[in-house]
Amino acid sequence: MRLNLNADLGESFGPWRMGDDAGLLEVVNSANVACGQHAGDPLVMRRTVIAASGQGVEIGAHPGYADLQGFGRRPMQLSDEELAASLQYQIGALAGIATACGATLSHVKPHGALNNLACEDDAVARTVVAAVAACRPDLILLAPVFSELARAARQAGQPVALEVFADRAYTASGHLVPRRLPGAVHEASETCVRQVLGMLEAGGVLTIDGDVLPCDFQSVCVHGDTAHAVRTARDVRAAVLAAGHELVALSDTLPPR
Amino acid sequence: MRLNLNADLGESFGPWRMGDDAGLLEVVNSANVACGQHAGDPLVMRRTVIAASGQGVEIGAHPGYADLQGFGRRPMQLSDEELAASLQYQIGALAGIATACGATLSHVKPHGALNNLACEDDAVARTVVAAVAACRPDLILLAPVFSELARAARQAGQPVALEVFADRAYTASGHLVPRRLPGAVHEASETCVRQVLGMLEAGGVLTIDGDVLPCDFQSVCVHGDTAHAVRTARDVRAAVLAAGHELVALSDTLPPR
Amino acid sequence: MRLNLNADLGESFGPWRMGDDAGLLEVVNSANVACGQHAGDPLVMRRTVIAASGQGVEIGAHPGYADLQGFGRRPMQLSDEELAASLQYQIGALAGIATACGATLSHVKPHGALNNLACEDDAVARTVVAAVAACRPDLILLAPVFSELARAARQAGQPVALEVFADRAYTASGHLVPRRLPGAVHEASETCVRQVLGMLEAGGVLTIDGDVLPCDFQSVCVHGDTAHAVRTARDVRAAVLAAGHELVALSDTLPPR
Amino acid sequence: MRLNLNADLGESFGPWRMGDDAGLLEVVNSANVACGQHAGDPLVMRRTVIAASGQGVEIGAHPGYADLQGFGRRPMQLSDEELAASLQYQIGALAGIATACGATLSHVKPHGALNNLACEDDAVARTVVAAVAACRPDLILLAPVFSELARAARQAGQPVALEVFADRAYTASGHLVPRRLPGAVHEASETCVRQVLGMLEAGGVLTIDGDVLPCDFQSVCVHGDTAHAVRTARDVRAAVLAAGHELVALSDTLPPR
């Protein structure tokens, strides 16, 4: 099976560093790059784009709410028009920087509270998809399996790739177990590896109850809040390759259009 | 003669309004739209783009230093790389919004303290031009006559249009008289009209000493800090048309490439 | 009866002006001054404090969510600790500037979405009151009648003054009719005057159904979103004085402690 | 001799961490706490104040330019009035949080580009001192030896404590060797220790040329940009104590008033 690994990157800001981007870039196929509103400033974005390009890693936009202090993790109420403009602003900004670096954007994945809302709320999902389609109909929407966001993208004819998480437990309905609940986040690298291999074998999401929810997926998000994100990412990569899967760019996971 | 009128627009932010954009859009051919760092937020940008498009007014990027509180008028020290990334971020952001609204960008004009520096400092001018060329080699650099910015754009082969100001006095060397000096800003609409007509007739800049500095120019900036910016803009437009000149888009003022 | 008039002031930011502060300062007894997070920057705060002091107008803190773009009107989810720290930051900041100008703070009134939440949600109300009490037990909490915020302040022993609005309609339970509903905001100055005089005569809030909800109140908020806020404020002031009431500082409306 | 060790702390922001505050709090007597404009948000400030208090570490304000992206290290042009208001805002904000935590402020030390300017430019130094004096005449100005800031504080009668740096080389005139020059920053912990002990013995600053510039000083800044700031701080502390000096609060280094 052709599979893709993705991670959120470029989430430093000004003097502050976040994450081990260099380490993750050695592992993933696709980087979701913060666009300056919840994290990332133009210089961070430029350096992330150059580093990703240099490693042959695909670049996607990772837009979020304009809330540095809350890192885009606090829900905010924006009108549809304001949300659309914010998304187009962020995607365009990263595209401008990417072009200047000789790179192109392949996909878009919303961040944090915005992503959560777009996964649960059909109206927000459709606003997000329409906003992306209006400025970049070529971008792949990278969306969680069983999400409203994925559904809305498919309905709108926007290319969409589905992702599962290596380090998060799934409910019986195929959604992420909220972080505040016990067992929501897999700390151990082995648990993450087992989950990914299990999902590949089962052809679907493994729920916290031990069930399988059959579904296609094209990408595994290996970035997480665990202390050893890079090690986990490396282990997942190694295990997936050892199991005979091929790791490819997002666009290579999709059927030809 | 084919002439262009331009003004800075979209400089509101969040709940705060600035300027009479609707009034200016009835007068100018080209709008320089703030890009969210010194003024403008994505929603303001979107509405400005839609309003300009609706009036058939050309849209350009008006990037500035990331300093809302100082409105981009305070000099800031950025490395070349940071400045380039900031410009590409802002141009790309506006382009993203414009595309979503069915519009395109025609030009770029730096704002405030950044523009001042790029007009005086050859190294900064070349950084600005190179940054624009790297992401949008098609954009016309709208630069003051006798500026380093204009020189750098010409040397780099970037399309460039030269502007004069309707409401500012010029020194013997063809630069703007600093605002703090008496006579720097023409308050009266008639003075602005006289200056523009005089420059058109003389084929160059009229200095505060009464001399003429011969030079080509393609555009007149009618946006100003005078209380009656819109009235002045209207009067300049009427006078220019009455004198038999044609008001056109920036690209129509340039020789075919 | 001794009555107080209050208004929100100092809501400009950087280059952007908001409201007619000079006009309102001639009318009100108490100014609620924005503290730099939803509006107001240190220079605006300083000038507002100086202007208010010069007019003999009492100064209070008007803290809000840290969201310039949304003007503090978008609900945000802050932990209790973060909300408390933000309030103490803002109150302290204004106090620092006031002290430097020879002025003191008399009261505090939360802004926008934070105020709405503190009026409806008992837990938030108690967090707000405790945060104020911890840094400034002397400040009067200026809170709407029938609000959780008023109740929490009274329970905690924090001095509290109750306000009614001149330009807003009240529901049967004594809360403001949401803005989106018809009739929520009184546009006409005469309607505002009539509402204030009616409440003074009735000794309570007049509801949109024509009922009276008996309650004490000490202050009338005359700042509003109507186009003619200053004129309305002047008319209310004149009418209240003509009806024989005395306009005083907030502290003079409270029983001696 | 009674000596004080100080360091800059609380320079995290939102999701981003900076420095090893817990480690430094075990070493220093005085913490200079960022005030939310160049770094630090209200929650970071609160937690820093609580941590410092809990360790018996004195708390001072560390105000800087309002430039998160540039971390207050980019020079900005503010009018005297704006600078004063910004300082009073920041000092007041920290004081508000400190009061709520049962703590008090002892001193103030400007940050970054603002500190550099106040050390070199007499007019700025006097603006800073006057701004502090206007809101908190009790706060000790913590200023570098041979600085305009120290001179201005002394002239104004504001309490002042002089600091030297453990990890920075000094020019022949007693100023810091600019960072861009070789040898400006001592990387090795032993070099820092030797410099501090040498200065204590010599009763003055040791210059890069090997001279001694006699001067009193009360405090040593042990925070630095070296990779091992905490280790250096610990080593300096141990060496100073071993040499028989006493480590005390800033106020205990000053003559009784």
Side-chain angles (χ1 to χ4, degrees), chain D residues 122-161:
Chain D
D122 172 51
V124 173
R126 279 182 289 149
T127 298
V128 169
V129 170
V132 173
C135 69
R136 289 292 300 256
D138 60 314
L139 293 188
I140 299 167
L141 222 336
L142 179 52
V145 291
F146 301 115
S147 65
E148 293 298 331
L149 186 56
R151 223 179 314 266
R154 217 175 282 117
Q155 276 180 3
Q158 187 77 10
V160 56

Side-chain angles (χ1 to χ4, degrees), chain C residues 35 37 46-47 81 89 92, chain D residues 35 37 46-47 81 89 92:
Chain C
C35 296
Q37 301 295 296
R46 176 180 157 84
R47 290 183 174 169
E81 189 183 7
Y89 182 95
Chain D
C35 297
Q37 301 294 296
R46 177 180 156 83
R47 290 182 175 170
E81 188 183 8
Y89 182 95

Side-chain angles (χ1 to χ4, degrees), chain C residues 35-250:
Chain C
C35 296
Q37 301 295 296
H38 75 278
D41 61 44
L43 186 56
V44 166
M45 290 164 70
R46 176 180 157 84
R47 290 183 174 169
T48 306
V49 163
I50 290 173
S53 275
Q55 292 271 2
V57 171
E58 245 182 359
I59 297 161
H62 191 47
Y65 288 130
D67 176 20
L68 285 177
Q69 203 168 308
F71 196 55
R73 285 186 175 155
R74 301 192 285 214
M76 294 186 78
Q77 294 179 1
L78 276 66
S79 71
D80 284 357
E81 189 183 7
E82 189 162 18
L83 175 55
S86 175
L87 289 167
Q88 291 154 358
Y89 182 95
Q90 296 184 58
I91 294 168
L94 183 65
I97 287 174
T99 301
C101 299
T104 53
L105 304 191
S106 58
H107 66 284
V108 58
K109 171 180 167 178
H111 167 84
L114 170 58
N115 199 44
N116 293 346
L117 193 59
C119 286
E120 293 164 14
D121 183 319
D122 173 52
V124 174
R126 279 183 288 149
T127 298
V128 168
V129 170
V132 172
C135 70
R136 290 292 301 258
D138 60 315
L139 293 188
I140 298 167
L141 223 335
L142 179 53
V145 291
F146 301 114
S147 66
E148 292 298 329
L149 186 56
R151 224 179 313 266
R154 216 175 282 118
Q155 277 181 3
Q158 187 77 11
V160 55
L162 300 176
E163 71 172 356
V164 294
F165 289 82
D167 70 340
R168 295 291 299 275
Y170 281 87
T171 67
S173 59
H175 299 106
L176 298 179
V177 174
R179 284 174 197 277
R180 63 179 184 280
L181 298 184
V185 178
H186 307 324
E187 295 292 339
S189 170
E190 308 81 62
T191 317
C192 299
V193 166
R194 210 178 317 128
Q195 169 153 314
V196 172
L197 293 183
M199 288 180 174
L200 286 167
E201 280 159 30
V205 158
L206 303 183
T207 75
I208 200 166
D209 311 310
D211 289 335
V212 174
L213 298 177
C215 65
D216 282 341
F217 58 91
Q218 288 78 42
S219 187
V220 177
C221 184
V222 291
H223 181 54
D225 301 308
T226 55
H228 308 297
V230 173
R231 214 200 101 194
T232 298
R234 274 196 202 116
D235 290 351
V236 168
R237 177 187 175 91
V240 164
L241 290 173
H245 302 285
E246 192 186 355
L247 288 175
V248 299
L250 268 185

